[in-house]
Amino acid sequence: METWESFEAARAALAWQVELGADEAICDAPVDRYAASAAPKPKAEPRSAPQPKAAHDPVADARAAAAAAQDLTGLRAAMAAFEGCDLKRGARNLVFSDGDPAARVMIVGEAPGRDEDLEGRPFVGRAGQLLDRMLGAIGLDRTAPASVYITNVLPWRPPSNREPKPDEIALMLPFVERHIALADPEILVLMGNISCQALLGRRGITKMRGQWAKLGARPVLPMLHPAYLLRTPTAKRDAWSDLLALKARLG
């Protein structure tokens, strides 16, 4: 058992060491502080670089949505639900089709105008009224069973009736192709540059008109758009010649 004198002696010795500057406890063996600070720090594990995200492809979305449609009702619903085309945000209505899907003749126009956007049917404005008279001249009527079926490349109206952009055409092309496949017409009539560009990959309707082409095994007749005929009445003679060629093909 420690005596009071030994405790006081130890405390005095400790106080003496503190006065000398020994204010830290030491180990039995000396430590080289310089060597310790110079020791290399363990290397951090390298972080793997973030993988770039795959670019979103709205055309692939359109292709998948169109392919999933098993009938025209399903195709219309798929087009109505498709959010990839900005034209939808500025349009009043989806313009899908008019006439009888069982018709031998299917007409593909370009895009809805103001009247079509308001009514939700293709070719109902001045150009549409002229189209009805043109069809009537060869015995076709959109209101008659199995006579004619009408749609457009774009189902939504472009702002100020401007020409559709290439990316807009590319976005809606899968739906147009599926539309044709589901309706399965005997003859396809493409009216105007946009429909020819979309489905035949060519423009220049004034040179292409009246010259039969093919989309797969299906005969295709490029024709002048009725809106062009309203602006250029002298071209109606060419349109009449093309209508007669269509009538002859129908037999």
Side-chain angles (χ1 to χ4, degrees):
M1 189 171 180
E2 293 183 354
T3 64
W4 177 257
E5 290 80 3
S6 62
F7 172 77
E8 285 297 325
R11 185 170 68 171
L14 180 60
W16 178 70
Q17 291 184 26
V18 171
E19 284 187 26
L20 293 177
D23 56 357
E24 293 184 8
I26 60 175
C27 303
D28 294 336
V31 177
D32 187 348
R33 300 294 180 183
Y34 295 100
S37 61
K41 295 181 180 179
K43 292 184 178 180
E45 291 293 330
R47 292 184 179 180
S48 58
Q51 296 297 321
K53 293 183 179 180
H56 182 66
D57 186 359
V59 175
D61 292 343
R63 195 176 297 115
Q70 300 302 307
D71 52 32
L72 292 175
T73 301
L75 182 65
R76 182 184 184 116
M79 292 170 70
F82 184 64
E83 299 293 339
C85 185
D86 289 339
L87 292 178
K88 178 182 179 180
R89 294 167 178 77
R92 291 173 180 250
N93 285 299
L94 169 74
V95 180
F96 185 68
S97 67
D98 198 17
D100 187 355
R104 298 175 64 192
V105 178
M106 182 175 183
I107 296 175
V108 180
E110 298 183 343
R114 177 181 177 276
D115 295 313
E116 290 77 13
D117 183 39
L118 290 173
E119 195 166 327
R121 292 192 303 127
F123 285 98
V124 294
R126 290 182 61 221
Q129 294 166 14
L130 175 57
L131 175 62
D132 287 342
R133 294 195 295 272
M134 292 166 60
L135 295 174
I138 59 170
L140 298 178
D141 184 347
R142 74 167 84 191
T143 64
S147 182
V148 65
Y149 186 56
I150 306 173
T151 190
N152 281 315
V153 171
L154 298 185
W156 297 292
R157 179 194 180 193
S160 304
N161 290 351
R162 63 160 171 75
E163 185 171 292
K165 298 177 181 178
D167 61 323
E168 294 166 344
I169 296 172
L171 272 174
M172 302 315 298
L173 182 58
F175 292 106
V176 179
E177 292 174 334
R178 185 63 175 155
H179 203 157
I180 295 169
L182 290 171
D184 194 22
E186 182 181 326
I187 295 174
L188 196 61
V189 176
L190 304 182
M191 288 194 155
N193 264 324
I194 299 303
S195 55
C196 289
Q197 176 186 345
L199 293 165
L200 297 179
R202 291 181 287 154
R203 292 178 67 99
I205 189 62
T206 55
K207 294 182 179 179
M208 294 171 62
R209 54 138 293 269
Q211 299 183 32
W212 287 93
K214 281 196 172 183
L215 186 63
R218 184 174 286 111
V220 177
L221 179 63
M223 287 187 62
L224 298 170
H225 197 283
Y228 176 82
L229 298 178
L230 289 173
R231 298 191 302 269
T232 316
T234 54
K236 290 182 178 180
R237 180 174 60 183
D238 293 332
W240 175 241
S241 174
D242 298 342
L243 287 170
L244 293 178
L246 175 60
K247 182 180 181 179
R249 193 71 175 243
L250 289 169

